[in-house]
Each structure stands twice: as C-alpha cells, then as structure tokens.
Amino acid sequence: MERQGNIKISSENMMPIIKKWLYSDKDIFLREIIANGIDAITKFKKLVELGEASAPEEEYCIKVSVDEKAKTLTVEDNGIGMTEEEVEKYITQIAFSGAADFVSKYEKANGDGIIGHFGLGFYSAYMVSEDIEIFTKSYRDESAVRWESDGESTYTISETDKAERGTKIVMHIAEEEKEFLKESEIRSLIQKYCSFMPYPIYLNFTGKDDKALNTTNPLYLKNPKDCTDEEYKEFYRSTFHDYNEPLFWVHLNMDYPFNLKGILYFPKVRRKVELDRGQVKLYCNQVFIADNIKEVIPEYLMLLNGVIDCPDIPLNVSRSFLQNDSQVKKITKHIVKKVADKLTALFKNEREKYETSWPDLANFIKFGCIKDEDFYDKVKDIIIYQNLSGEYHAITEYLGEKISDADAEAGKEPKTVYYTSDVVGQAQYVKLFKDAGLDAIVCDTFIDPHFISFIEYKEVGRVSFKRIDSDIDGALKEGDSTEEESKEIVELVKADLADRKLEVKAEKFKNANVPAIINVSEFMRRMNEMNSFYAMGEGQDEITLVVNLSCSVVQSLKDLPEEKRKLLSNQIYFLAILSYRKLTSEEMEEYTANNLALMQSYVG
Ligand code: ADP
Ligand code: MG
C-alpha cells in the first residue's frame, strides 16, 4: 500500500537558498548522512545495554557504496531503524523543518555564516541529489518502510521488504554533481569529515579484508595517563601528515564544567621566516566541523597543529554570536591556560629541551603575547633570549627596576638593554662589546622588532632596548673626550668626507684597533623600519661616523698632507660601513678605487 503526502513546510524555495550559501561546502552532506547512521547505531546500542533489545551478532558499522552506472550513492547503517510513524515524524517533519530552521538562522546571521554549516542534517543531501530513497527497518517488530522524495513538496511512503534492522539512504545524484559518484572523491570526504567517528565506516564493502576508513577510538579521547609518547607521535603523523616529529603536545581532557577533549601539538617550524600556519581541527562528538575556527581558537594558537573536540560549543549559530558567547570564552581561556601551563612546566622541569626547542617556539609565543596580553602575563617569565655568550636568560631577568614617574619626568631613563639583530653582520660591534665586558641579547627573528617594542610598552619604565650599533656605551670608552681633543680630528674628517651624508663624532675607545664605527640612533632606525614595514617607503638611515681617538691611524690624520689624508679618511669610512652593512655596487667600485689610490700614494 502506498501513501503520498505533502511536506508540510514550504520547501520549494529552500534549496536554491541553501545551495547558494553552501556552494563551497556542499560536501558536508555526506558527513550529515553518515553522522545520522552513527547516531542510529548509538541509540540502538543503548537499548541493548538497557536490555530492551538483544545484542546483534554482526559488527555495528556504516557501509557506503557508490554505483556510477546507477548514479547512486548509498549509506547504510545497522542502527535503530525507523517505523513508518517515525519516518513521518523524523524525516518528513523534523528533517524538513530543521532545514527551514537552518535557513531562517542563516538569514538572521546576515551573511555572517554558520560554522561548518552545522545543523542542516538530512535535508543537506538534497544539495547533490535529485531524489532520495530511504529503506528502513526498526528494531521493533514492524514492517520495513520505503520513503521517497525529490525534496520539493511531496513524498511517498510504502511498505517494503528490507529484512535487516537499520536504515539505507539511497541518494540519486544529480547530473551536475557527478563528482560525488567517484569512489576517490567519496573516500577523501569520509577521511576528512568522518575519520574519528565511533563506528567503522566501509567504502564499497566486499565482505573480506575490508578496512574501515576511520579510527573509531581516536587517541585524544583516551585518558592522558594511558597514552604513550609513541602513540602521540603516531596520532600526529596520521592526522597531520607531517613526518617531522612534534616537539611536544598538550592533551586537553576535561569533563566539567564543559566537555573538552583534544591534543595540541607544537610543530617544528625552525628557521621559517614567516609565521607558519598550523591547523587546528574542530570536532563535535567525533564529527569534523571545520579547520581553524578563529571564533573559538585564538589566531596564534592556530600556529599549532591540533584536534579539539568540544560538544559544548554551540555550532548552529552565527559566527559573531559565537565570538561573544561566554561559554566559548571560557573554553578558549582554558585552552590558553593549558598551553601556557605546559610551556611553563617544560621551562621549569626540562630546561634543556625547552632551550633547544626555543627557535621553534619563539615566534608562536611572541606572536601570542602581542595578540593576547593575558597570554603574555602567563608566559612572560619563560620568554628567553640568548646573550652574547650563547646563554639563554628570561627576558624578565634583563629588566630593571621600574623608574618612578617623577624620575622619568626629571629625565631619568629606564635601563638600557642592548641587542644585536645579526651576530655575524654586526660582528665588529659584538667584539667591541665582548672585549669591554658588555653584554647584549640576540634579537634576530622577524618578529623581534615588534616584540621588543611590545615589551617596552608592557614593562614601561623598566627597559629601553638599543641595538648595539645605536650609540657608544660608556663602558666602551676610555673616559669622555674633551672638545679640544676631538675638535681638530672631527673637522678634518668632516672636510674629507664632505660629499657624504653623515655626522662625524670622535670618542676615545678602550679598543685602539678600531679606527671608526657607524652609529644610527635607535629611534630613527625604528622609525625607518616601521615605515618600510607599512610600505611607506624606506627612509635613509641618518648615520654617524664615530672616529676613535685612541687609534693611531686616526691620530695620524692630523699630520698627513691633504690628498693622502682624504684617501685615509675615506678608507676609515668604508671600513666602518663594511662592519655596519653591505656595500652597494656603486660603493664597492668607489671603495676599490680608493684602495688602489691609497696604495699608489705609498708607492709614489
Ligand atoms: P538531526 O540529526 O540533527 O536530528 P537530521 O535532519 O539529520 O537532524 O535527522 C532528523 C531525524 O531523522 C534524526 O533526528 C533521526 O531521528 C532521524 N534519522 C535520520 N537518519 C536516520 C537513520 N539513519 N536512522 C535512524 N533515524 C534517522
Ligand atoms: Mg543529523
């Protein structure tokens, strides 16, 4: 006996709307259909546990099959099944009104989007099907049911002769969606969305040696104390296809006040110039929702690789709602705290490993601090910098006592901490520093210029960072030189280098073997760096040539005839520039010519 019915809610207009919104995300239909099968198995298993149904002999599983000729994609489960009455209620009423509900939520979301298009359910299969048949047999002693509809406004329902308990969904794939009839496509969709679903999923099941496409009991659900390092590494490899071992990981395992399971891995990213984007996959009860959801996971945590399963995050709401949801905020806070705790524990208990991992961690931590000041407060004591002897110290150890506002007004400056941005390029300065017993920290990653400004702002009054070529520290000098001592030499050098854009100064260095060095004020250099960062053009650094009165070559300038002196002044200039930066090709030519002329002046 066949009955026909009208789908109560008006669905004619829904499909174009849904298709438009979900265009890039149609794939989710397979997740929805398989997830329904999983739910049905879970329900049946509950009944067995309660003694309301007898335990089946066969394995609980989902079988997916594609038939290119018949143009069908079929998903079959051996779950609870449905009676005729239930099909009417759950499919014709609930599934369709669920879709209508989704559409209205989507309209309210105002283009804002709903994460992973969660909540559309059974109806989503109509995005790719022109017709769907359901064959289902309830665990109750009732006859099997066949339901069919093209998803528009009518459906038919009749008895059928399905013998086994469970539900089979046969999707007649629309002509323009043919890709969903390719086994490879379906395989990769199952791997993407269903890889942690709790019952085995088989594709084109043959009955022997079939392997499920999913892991039914993913590691992140286990109790951390039962997991071995090898298991963590294996889970990392298989989930992220990264054959570099992760540095370490944080296992999130919480039941109260919210349910949160997952593992966050710190990947090896060494020597990457840019921030490497990681991948944090969000799951809800083992169902994949989406990657890198910034409304749930702070942007900087997305530099990590991880899996987060949190059924307590409301997912069928708009993204902006999620952003302001207090529950989500608590969850995010918890994740951040766990990450900070892990890093702190490592710093305290495995200092050596922490230091060797630091180049991989540094960008993540620094970026995190800049983005989230709460994170900074949690990790500030474990941010380390290498000094000139290669030892690591926490940045907080370098800071001075905060100067009072009154002192600041009176012109007192916060403690100076010198840094080098390039140990090799700034080797001469480094040597001068070391010889004078001065120290500096190594700030050579691309994020350091931003990060040191951030520290100066967070720790205002306690530190002022200066690059080692920005001035001559008192410790490098043999006392202050008098006006008298320096005036003559400065005038001579200025005259000799009149064509060059620079300031000239003279100081008495402790080290007599360096004729001169270049200084660029920290403030000016930072301004220029910022301008070029914001693409406002690169300003010329205003450089100062500091000649060394302790150096006999410099002193000799006083006694040389003008022509020879000019050659020597230029030579001193080029030497200083060479220790400061690379020469341009024009300068290189000039330098070579000056060298030659200098030699010739000796040969006569
Ligand atoms: P949801 O899963 O969020 O309830 P769906 O639209 O996916 O919404 O499904 C609607 C209802 O149809 C389900 O709640 C369930 O009762 C029923 N249903 C769907 N698929 C199956 C299935 N494979 N086995 C048994 N019942 C199902
Ligand atoms: Mg569902």
Side-chain angles (χ1 to χ4, degrees):
M1 185 187 66
E2 185 176 292
R3 285 198 307 106
Q4 295 202 342
N6 290 314
I7 291 167
K8 297 264 168 3
I9 53 138
S10 95
S11 61
E12 300 101 291
N13 314 325
M14 272 182 347
M15 197 40 70
I17 302 174
I18 287 176
K19 276 196 172 160
K20 188 173 133 220
W21 282 323
L22 269 59
Y23 186 72
S24 59
D25 226 6
K26 308 191 263 246
D27 321 354
I28 58 122
F29 84 91
L30 190 58
R31 167 188 83 188
E32 295 299 317
I33 295 299
I34 293 179
N36 282 348
I38 298 275
D39 288 347
I41 294 173
T42 309
K43 284 178 196 159
F44 181 69
K45 206 175 156 210
K46 261 267 146 57
L47 291 176
V48 171
E49 280 162 14
L50 292 169
E52 288 178 28
S54 48
E57 272 168 32
E58 77 281 6
E59 178 191 40
Y60 292 120
C61 69
I62 306 277
K63 291 174 188 165
V64 180
S65 52
V66 275
D67 184 337
E68 262 196 276
K69 273 208 217 100
K71 298 190 183 147
T72 56
L73 170 61
T74 303
V75 175
E76 188 170 4
D77 67 67
N78 50 5
I80 191 167
M82 285 178 276
T83 62
E84 178 173 340
E85 205 180 314
E86 284 166 340
V87 174
E88 286 282 7
K89 185 164 154 206
Y90 297 137
I91 300 297
T92 328
Q93 288 173 31
I94 298 198
F96 283 71
S97 57
D101 192 39
F102 181 84
V103 168
S104 79
K105 273 198 182 123
Y106 222 116
E107 275 175 336
K108 270 191 231 120
N110 227 335
D112 196 21
I114 287 175
I115 286 168
H117 302 305
F118 206 71
L120 189 50
F122 171 77
Y123 191 86
S124 63
Y126 284 104
M127 287 192 291
V128 301
S129 319
E130 50 195 23
D131 198 77
I132 299 179
E133 290 174 274
I134 302 177
F135 298 88
T136 182
K137 178 158 172 46
S138 165
Y139 80 102
R140 291 174 207 275
D141 191 20
E142 283 195 37
S143 45
V145 184
R146 174 183 176 276
W147 176 97
E148 191 211 332
S149 171
D150 62 2
E152 297 289 334
S153 57
T154 60
Y155 65 95
T156 58
I157 191 163
S158 58
E159 274 184 22
T160 186
D161 55 3
K162 183 178 183 350
E164 326 75 47
R165 183 197 69 254
T167 302
K168 180 159 102 177
I169 311 276
V170 182
M171 291 165 267
H172 295 266
I173 301 297
E175 185 58 29
E176 61 285 8
E177 308 293 350
K178 279 204 290 268
E179 61 193 282
F180 296 108
L181 289 171
K182 276 199 226 120
E183 186 180 311
S184 58
E185 174 71 17
I186 297 302
R187 180 183 306 273
S188 67
L189 288 186
I190 295 174
Q191 280 161 345
K192 176 172 175 189
Y193 289 102
C194 312
S195 50
F196 300 144
M197 284 190 182
Y199 299 103
I201 301 166
Y202 298 102
L203 179 58
N204 289 343
F205 190 75
T206 61
K208 52 174 188 325
D209 303 331
D210 284 297
K211 268 192 72 184
L213 294 183
N214 55 328
T215 309
T216 54
N217 191 15
L219 192 68
Y220 70 79
L221 291 176
K222 281 215 221 163
N223 191 320
K225 55 179 202 302
D226 301 329
C227 303
T228 66
D229 283 5
E230 215 16 79
E231 285 174 317
Y232 281 118
K233 289 175 192 170
E234 175 49 37
F235 183 73
Y236 179 77
R237 265 193 301 275
S238 58
T239 310
F240 299 101
H241 310 290
D242 178 357
Y243 290 88
N244 288 313
E245 276 192 5
L247 294 169
F248 41 81
W249 45 85
V250 181
H251 195 151
L252 305 160
N253 186 288
M254 170 121 159
D255 293 311
Y256 184 82
F258 42 78
N259 191 324
L260 173 70
K261 304 274 147 77
I263 306 175
L264 288 172
Y265 288 93
F266 290 76
K268 275 211 169 91
V269 295
R270 200 181 287 263
R271 276 182 265 285
K272 286 273 166 67
V273 186
E274 280 191 55
L275 286 171
D276 226 28
R277 181 150 289 269
Q279 189 184 24
V280 177
K281 297 164 172 284
L282 182 64
Y283 289 77
C284 175
N285 286 324
Q286 298 172 250
V287 177
F288 175 71
I289 304 301
D291 282 319
N292 299 341
I293 299 299
K294 63 178 192 319
E295 288 78 9
V296 177
I297 298 150
E299 203 184 348
Y300 61 95
L301 287 184
M302 286 190 244
L303 300 175
L304 307 181
N305 285 331
V307 169
I308 287 186
D309 194 327
C310 187
D312 291 333
I313 295 174
L315 288 167
N316 51 355
V317 296
S318 76
R319 282 174 179 258
S320 53
F321 176 88
L322 208 55
Q323 222 161 16
N324 299 312
D325 185 63
S326 66
Q327 178 82 340
V328 172
K329 282 196 179 131
K330 272 185 221 145
I331 293 168
T332 307
K333 245 189 154 135
H334 177 76
I335 298 173
V336 169
K337 181 176 180 305
K338 282 294 187 186
V339 168
D341 286 352
K342 173 74 196 188
L343 292 167
T344 308
L346 210 67
F347 176 83
K348 288 200 181 120
N349 310 327
E350 289 177 73
R351 182 66 183 256
E352 216 177 292
K353 178 168 181 189
Y354 185 81
E355 288 183 4
T356 47
S357 308
W358 180 251
D360 292 304
L361 291 178
N363 287 344
F364 162 75
I365 293 183
K366 290 171 187 170
F367 183 57
C369 289
I370 293 172
K371 287 278 168 184
D372 175 0
E373 295 186 17
D374 281 347
F375 185 64
Y376 173 72
D377 291 334
K378 292 194 174 77
V379 299
K380 63 178 169 191
D381 293 323
I382 63 167
I383 297 166
I384 54 176
Y385 275 96
Q386 224 163 5
N387 66 8
L388 293 180
S389 336
E391 297 156 5
Y392 277 110
H393 293 283
I395 190 75
T396 41
E397 287 176 41
Y398 292 102
L399 306 178
E401 280 296 322
K402 187 175 159 67
I403 54 169
S404 71
D405 290 350
D407 280 349
E409 252 164 61
K412 192 170 171 201
E413 302 216 346
K415 183 181 165 190
T416 295
V417 172
Y418 288 102
Y419 66 96
T420 162
S421 57
D422 178 355
V423 184
V424 176
Q426 291 156 0
Q428 186 176 52
Y429 301 88
V430 169
K431 186 172 181 329
L432 278 174
F433 262 56
K434 278 185 169 170
D435 290 349
L438 272 180
D439 207 352
I441 61 175
V442 182
C443 290
D444 58 0
T445 73
F446 78 100
I447 203 167
D448 278 321
H450 309 279
F451 191 68
I452 59 175
S453 301
F454 172 79
I455 298 278
E456 285 170 341
Y457 146 76
K458 285 297 289 182
E459 306 294 344
V460 65
R462 297 187 64 188
V463 66
S464 147
F465 291 99
K466 285 188 186 151
R467 206 163 84 173
I468 60 179
D469 54 10
S470 65
D471 66 7
I472 306 292
D473 187 86
L476 297 175
K477 293 189 275 190
E478 195 73 70
D480 287 329
S481 52
T482 59
E483 167 94 18
E484 210 180 313
E485 288 171 304
S486 56
K487 197 168 174 220
E488 188 187 355
I489 298 249
V490 168
E491 298 282 285
L492 290 174
V493 175
K494 260 191 185 157
D496 291 343
L497 302 177
D499 313 340
R500 308 193 185 278
K501 241 189 106 218
L502 46 75
E503 280 294 310
V504 180
K505 248 172 68 177
E507 294 284 3
K508 259 194 287 183
F509 289 36
K510 278 186 186 150
N511 187 322
N513 296 322
V514 178
I517 64 171
I518 300 290
N519 271 178
V520 174
S521 102
E522 180 72 15
F523 178 75
M524 289 308 297
R525 212 200 63 249
R526 282 199 206 182
M527 285 283 283
N528 280 337
E529 276 171 3
M530 209 152 71
N531 287 348
S532 69
F533 182 79
Y534 291 109
M536 305 201 308
E538 215 162 329
Q540 268 286 308
D541 283 338
E542 285 170 31
I543 61 174
T544 302
L545 181 73
V546 187
V547 292
N548 180 6
L549 297 173
S550 322
C551 176
S552 55
V553 176
V554 172
Q555 288 298 342
S556 77
L557 290 171
K558 289 188 207 158
D559 311 317
L560 287 175
E562 192 183 336
E563 211 164 302
K564 254 188 166 173
R565 193 191 67 220
K566 198 165 176 180
L567 291 174
L568 195 57
S569 291
N570 273 289
Q571 196 71 0
I572 290 171
Y573 164 79
F574 277 119
L575 275 182
I577 289 282
L578 275 169
S579 323
Y580 173 71
R581 61 164 168 82
K582 284 203 179 79
L583 297 183
T584 64
S585 59
E586 263 166 45
E587 286 172 328
M588 190 52 112
E589 239 170 76
E590 227 187 308
Y591 174 50
T592 313
N594 199 70
N595 262 308
L596 194 65
L598 194 70
M599 288 189 272
Q600 276 163 347
S601 77
Y602 278 84
V603 182

